[in-house]
Amino acid sequence: PTHSIDTATNEDLDNAQKIFDGDESFLPKSEAAAWLGSTSPQNSRTRRAYMALFDWAGSNILSAFRQLCSKLVVRAESQQLDRVIDAFSERWCECNRNHGFKDKGRL
C-alpha cells in the first residue's frame, strides 16, 4: 500500500525506535544520520517518527541538540544533515511552544 509522507507505518515506527535505541539490526549506527536525512518518503516518515521519540519540553536548544548528537553519528552529506536538523528544530519547537523564536527556521 502507498503511505503518505505524514503517516508513519508500523515499520517506520519500529525502525525509528531501533535507531533511537542504538539497535543496529536495522542499520549501523554510523549510517543512521545519513539514512534519516535521505529524501524517500520512508526516510521522511521515519525521520519524523525518530524525532517524536525525544521529549525536549523545557530543554534549551543547546542541550537538546547535544542529546540528539549523542545518539547519532553525524557524518552525513550536508543536505542530509540539513534535513535532520530541520526535523530537530521542528520537534524542539513542538516541545517548547513558547520558545520565543519567530519561526523554526530561525533558531
Side-chain angles (χ1 to χ4, degrees):
T2 304
H3 299 281
S4 81
I5 195 168
D6 296 322
T7 307
T9 66
N10 286 336
E11 180 184 9
D12 299 332
L13 296 171
D14 288 345
N15 290 339
Q17 188 69 55
K18 286 176 183 172
I19 295 168
F20 187 84
D21 292 341
D23 175 348
E24 297 188 79
S25 65
F26 171 58
L27 79 157
K29 187 174 181 174
S30 62
E31 297 175 18
W35 191 89
L36 286 169
S38 294
T39 59
S40 81
Q42 179 188 17
N43 298 72
S44 297
R45 292 188 311 264
T46 305
R47 180 172 58 245
R48 212 170 270 113
Y50 175 80
M51 291 300 171
L53 294 169
F54 290 94
D55 180 5
W56 287 310
S59 295
N60 71 47
I61 190 89
L62 183 57
S63 64
F65 194 64
R66 283 182 177 147
Q67 183 185 16
L68 175 68
C69 290
S70 75
K71 290 215 164 262
L72 291 175
V73 177
V74 185
R75 281 191 319 232
E77 293 179 23
S78 61
Q79 290 180 337
Q80 292 169 326
L81 188 54
D82 284 349
R83 286 187 282 277
V84 172
I85 292 171
D86 284 347
F88 160 78
S89 65
E90 185 175 313
R91 177 64 180 155
W92 186 85
C93 288
E94 287 172 4
C95 291
N96 297 281
R97 298 265 181 216
N98 298 319
H99 52 73
F101 294 106
K102 292 184 180 192
D103 65 55
K104 69 179 189 280
R106 296 180 183 252
L107 293 180

